[in-house]
């Protein structure tokens, strides 16, 4: 492997991990509060679609990003009301929402862009970090669009809030023992609604990264399992922020490796690399890699 | 979960009636939305419905294809209900279908299988598919009992693993991919020998309803009986309602959980075997695409009734076929069917709270 290839590999690993970093961080917060959003996939898709439409109509990727967040709000709200207020099965509602969003965005895309056209839409340009981006080997790592740095900033902020603030402690307690939180006078429902909404907005950012950040176009069902991969990252990360971030980077690297295999001439089957994240997560939940500590009230509706 | 605080709930419909009205109402409401959407797309409603009708019921072939699809969905849905009785959510239908398809292909193409007498040539691969799906499901059950892994997470992950195993097996010549004679050789398996194909009821490819239909009827009837009348069915229910109490009553909780998920997976595997040996005849990467999740949704819609599973499977089987025809004949995107299906699921899941409220005593 030449140094140049290593540099490209590092940079593309990071780039491919960014949508996962957004979505997985959002899902982590929500799962720590006790709500599983199978709909991360649909929420990312809604974000990708909203971002694409917004950017195409206004010509500004920044306004596109705002549209991505707007587009995800009804989806996140639906998920939250169904699972928290109506106490519906979290898995089933999530899968239903994914089917619904896939259908709606495909219909909307055909109406808006016309069937099968692949128009390029305005997207973000790279924001190279001065000095660092000129370094050998790691230089390409620092030639990402601004959203990459936004992801890192949000992750650091989430880490700080979760560990150092009262809100963070309460939020984690809601996922472990909601009854205790209710007894302490905090609203379980409000906290969980907030957590799902946060997961939705983060997913929208991740989805928008795919459409207006990375490839500057929208295609039907373009998230193609990225949402499930983000959920898998949270599981493999054992519901801890640091480990989840590492999982996202690892999954990004596995994806990047798929594209580099031909260049490297390695005999690893492509399918094995695509399967790797799910396999690792499965081994992890099977207790073969480290210990898993899911929040105790995960996926359980709260009855006062 | 306190009960007293909700004892003053408003008067409700009898649970059985509400359980029936809810899915019917949700489906009708979704259809109404669909009609509005079609008109909003600027397609004459009559034209769209004609195309839909042609695709779903238009001729013997269309009806047969819809029925075959419904059989696969009903099998996955029946498995879902089986596991649900023990309080387990099997979201792994997609992967169970995939491993079933892979196993069926591998056995069909194995030397000697095609020459087996007495219909064993198609029965052996079908059994292999069933077992493979069963093992895939039981794995999740085993983990739940041994390590305490939530079966929702493990069946979902196993599902993705299986789908990529399928992809791998048709990409690699060392596995099931047909020999590469040119660069245009498609990544799929060789077609299975004719003797290993599941027989068609009419014997004609113009109305290809397979033996899977009577097989499903038998399996559905047996499942309904086992769940409602047998000791095993009672044990599953006890495990689902309260595993601790069930264990104290002497029920082997661990074995029940593994068995329930084995059976759920086995039905998914059988569905995969039937889809391959009865319809597609060669393994392709997108083989299981969507069937598993549709089957799950059918299981949910049915609200634990096997009759409901059949009704739901027929509905979705014909909806999908009609949707595809609507796309080709009236240029209404078949994504509209996704929208309807999503609406149905979301409505029923959300309204379950109002229907079940009375049951939480």
């Amino acid at each position: 492997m030449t140094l140049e290839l290593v540099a490209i590999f590092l940079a593309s690993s990071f780039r491919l991990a960014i949508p996962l970093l957004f979505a997985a961080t959002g899902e982590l917060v929500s799962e720590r509060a006790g709500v599983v959003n199978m709909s991360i996939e649909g929420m990312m898709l809604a974000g990708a679609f909203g971002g694409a439409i917004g950017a195409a109509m206004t010509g500004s990727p920044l306004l596109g990003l705002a549209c991505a967040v707007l587009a995800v709000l009804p989806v996140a709200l639906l998920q939250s009301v169904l699972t928290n207020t109506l106490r519906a099965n979290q898995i089933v509602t999530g899968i239903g929402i994914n089917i619904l969003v896939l259908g709606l965005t495909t219909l909307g895309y055909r109406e808006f862009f016309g069937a099968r056209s692949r128009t390029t839409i305005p997207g973000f340009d790279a924001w190279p970090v001065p000095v660092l981006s000129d370094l050998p080997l790691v230089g390409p790592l620092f030639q990402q669009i601004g959203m990459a740095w936004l992801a890192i900033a949000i992750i650091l902020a989430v880490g700080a809030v979760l560990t150092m603030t009262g809100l963070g402690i309460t939020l984690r307690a809601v996922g472990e023992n909601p009854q205790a939180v209710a007894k302490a006078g905090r609203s379980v429902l409000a906290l969980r609604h907030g957590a799902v909404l946060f997961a939705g907005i983060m997913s929208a950012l991740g989805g928008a990264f795919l459409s207006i950040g990375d490839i500057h176009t929208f295609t039907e069902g373009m998230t193609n399992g990225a949402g499930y991969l983000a959920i898998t990252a949270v599981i493999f990360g054992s519901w801890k922020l640091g480990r989840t971030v590492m999982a996202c980077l690892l999954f990004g690297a596995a994806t990047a490796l798929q594209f580099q295999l031909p260049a490297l001439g390695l005999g690893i089957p492509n399918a094995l690399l695509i399967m790797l994240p799910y396999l690792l997560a499965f081994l992890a939940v099977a207790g073969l890699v480290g210990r898993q500590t899911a929040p105790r009230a995960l996926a359980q509706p709260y009855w006062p | 979960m306190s009960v007293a605080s909700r004892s003053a709930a408003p008067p409700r419909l009898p649970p059985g009636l509400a359980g029936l009205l809810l899915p019917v109402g949700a489906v009708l409401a979704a259809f109404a939305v669909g009609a509005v959407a079609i008109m909003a797309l600027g397609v004459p409603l009559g034209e769209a419905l004609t195309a839909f009708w042609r695709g779903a019921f238009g001729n013997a072939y269309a009806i047969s294809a819809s029925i075959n699809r419904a059989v696969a969905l009903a099998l996955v849905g029946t498995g879902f209900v089986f596991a649900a009785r023990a309080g387990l959510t099997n979201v792994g239908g997609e992967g169970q279908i995939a491993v079933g398809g892979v196993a069926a292909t591998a056995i069909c193409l194995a030397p000697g299988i095609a020459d087996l007498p007495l219909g064993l040539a198609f029965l052996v691969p079908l059994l292999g598919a069933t077992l493979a799906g069963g093992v895939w499901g039981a794995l999740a059950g085993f983990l739940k009992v041994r390590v305490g892994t939530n079966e929702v997470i493990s069946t979902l992950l196993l599902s993705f693993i299986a789908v990529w195993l399928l992809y791998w097996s048709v990409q690699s010549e060392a596995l099931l991919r047909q020999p590469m004679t040119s660069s245009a050789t498609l990544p799929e398996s060789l077609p299975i020998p004719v003797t290993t194909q599941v027989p068609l009821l009419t014997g004609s490819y113009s109305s290809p309803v397979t033996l899977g239909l009577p097989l499903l009827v038998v399996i559905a009837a047996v499942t309904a009986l086992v769940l409602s009348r047998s000791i095993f069915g009672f044990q599953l229910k006890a495990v689902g309602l309260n595993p601790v109490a069930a264990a104290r009553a002497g029920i082997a909780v661990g074995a029940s959980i593994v068995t329930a998920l084995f059976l759920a997976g086995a039905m998914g595997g059988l569905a995969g075997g039937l889809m391959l040996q009865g319809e597609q005849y060669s393994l392709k990467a997108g083989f299981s695409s969507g069937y598993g999740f549709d089957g799950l949704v059918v299981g949910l819609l049915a609200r634990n009734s096997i009759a409901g599973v059949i009704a739901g499977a027929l509905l979705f089987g014909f909806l999908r076929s009609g949707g595809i025809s609507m796309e080709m004949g009236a240029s209404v995107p078949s994504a509209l069917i996704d929208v309807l299906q999503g609406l149905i699921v979301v409505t029923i899941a959300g309204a379950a709270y109002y229907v079940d409220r009375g049951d939480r005593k």
Side-chain angles (χ1 to χ4, degrees), chain A residues 20 23 37-38 40-42 44 223-232:
Chain A
L20 297 180
N37 300 293
M38 282 301 202
I40 290 290
E41 175 80 10
M44 286 181 84
T223 46
N224 196 19
Y228 292 112
L229 205 54
I231 297 173
T232 307

Side-chain angles (χ1 to χ4, degrees), chain B residues 85-86 232-254 256-257:
Chain B
R85 189 57 60 96
F232 177 60
F234 174 76
Q235 288 177 343
L236 284 185
K237 194 172 175 182
V239 171
L241 289 175
N242 187 341
V244 180
R248 289 201 67 115
I251 294 172
V253 173
S256 304
I257 288 175

Side-chain angles (χ1 to χ4, degrees), chain B:
Chain B
M1 230 180 274
S2 82
V3 175
S5 60
R6 268 193 319 281
S7 57
R12 300 175 308 271
L13 294 164
L17 185 60
L20 187 66
L21 282 180
L22 169 61
V24 172
V27 169
L28 289 180
F31 280 174
V33 172
V36 172
I38 287 172
M39 289 188 282
L41 288 169
V43 177
L45 195 55
E47 195 179 307
L49 288 180
T50 313
F52 183 91
W53 184 266
R54 260 204 314 276
F57 309 100
N59 54 44
Y61 185 85
I63 295 177
S64 304
S66 306
I67 288 180
N68 284 341
R69 182 181 282 273
V71 167
L73 298 184
L75 279 170
V76 177
T78 306
F80 181 86
V81 169
F82 223 117
R85 189 57 60 96
L88 302 163
T89 310
N90 172 32
V91 288
E94 196 83 17
Q96 289 145 10
I97 290 177
V99 290
V102 171
T105 313
I107 300 174
C108 285
L109 294 174
I113 293 292
D115 304 323
L116 289 174
L118 302 171
L120 284 173
F122 77 88
L123 286 174
V124 169
L126 218 46
L127 192 67
T130 311
L131 281 178
V135 168
W136 214 247
L139 206 53
F142 181 77
L143 281 184
K144 183 168 182 95
V145 174
R146 268 300 170 82
V147 201
T149 310
N150 186 334
E151 80 284 356
V152 172
I153 291 172
S154 57
T155 50
L156 184 75
L157 292 176
L158 278 169
S159 195
F160 286 115
I161 293 172
V163 167
W164 292 112
L165 272 179
L166 163 71
Y167 175 77
W168 189 358
S169 68
V170 294
Q171 287 289 336
S172 163
E173 270 190 273
L175 299 169
L176 292 172
R177 184 172 187 168
Q178 57 186 334
M180 298 250 272
T181 48
S182 75
S183 60
T185 306
L186 290 173
E188 53 185 69
S189 78
L190 284 171
I192 58 169
V194 177
T195 47
T196 59
Q197 295 180 0
V198 175
L200 305 177
L201 289 185
T202 59
S204 153
Y205 285 104
S206 60
S207 56
V209 177
T210 68
L211 204 60
L213 179 64
L215 199 60
L216 166 73
V217 172
V218 173
I219 288 175
V222 170
T223 304
L225 279 178
V226 165
L227 286 182
S228 64
R229 298 265 183 273
S230 76
I231 294 174
F232 177 60
F234 174 76
Q235 288 177 343
L236 284 185
K237 194 172 175 182
V239 171
L241 289 175
N242 187 341
V244 180
R248 289 201 67 115
I251 294 172
V253 173
S256 304
I257 288 175
V258 175
T259 313
L261 281 171
F262 174 85
L263 288 169
M267 291 186 207
L270 177 61
L274 283 171
M275 281 159 60
L276 184 99
Q277 290 173 254
E279 216 176 353
Q280 309 200 7
Y281 302 138
S282 68
L283 194 66
K284 302 171 191 69
F287 168 73
S288 60
S289 162
Y291 278 78
F293 284 126
D294 278 8
L296 186 166
V297 165
V298 163
L300 156 85
L301 272 170
R303 304 176 50 79
N304 294 327
S305 121
I306 299 293
V309 167
I310 308 279
L314 285 172
L315 172 73
F316 280 6
F318 282 96
L319 254 183
R320 287 272 170 202
S321 304
I324 294 167
S325 159
M326 217 159 54
E327 169 146 349
M328 297 192 293
S331 57
V332 174
S334 67
L336 181 66
I337 301 296
D338 285 324
V339 175
L340 300 193
Q341 204 168 325
L343 280 177
I344 294 173
V345 177
V346 164
T347 316
I348 293 185
Y353 167 60
Y354 291 100
V355 179
D356 293 342
R357 200 161 43 174
D359 303 341
R360 292 189 166 270
K361 292 269 153 67

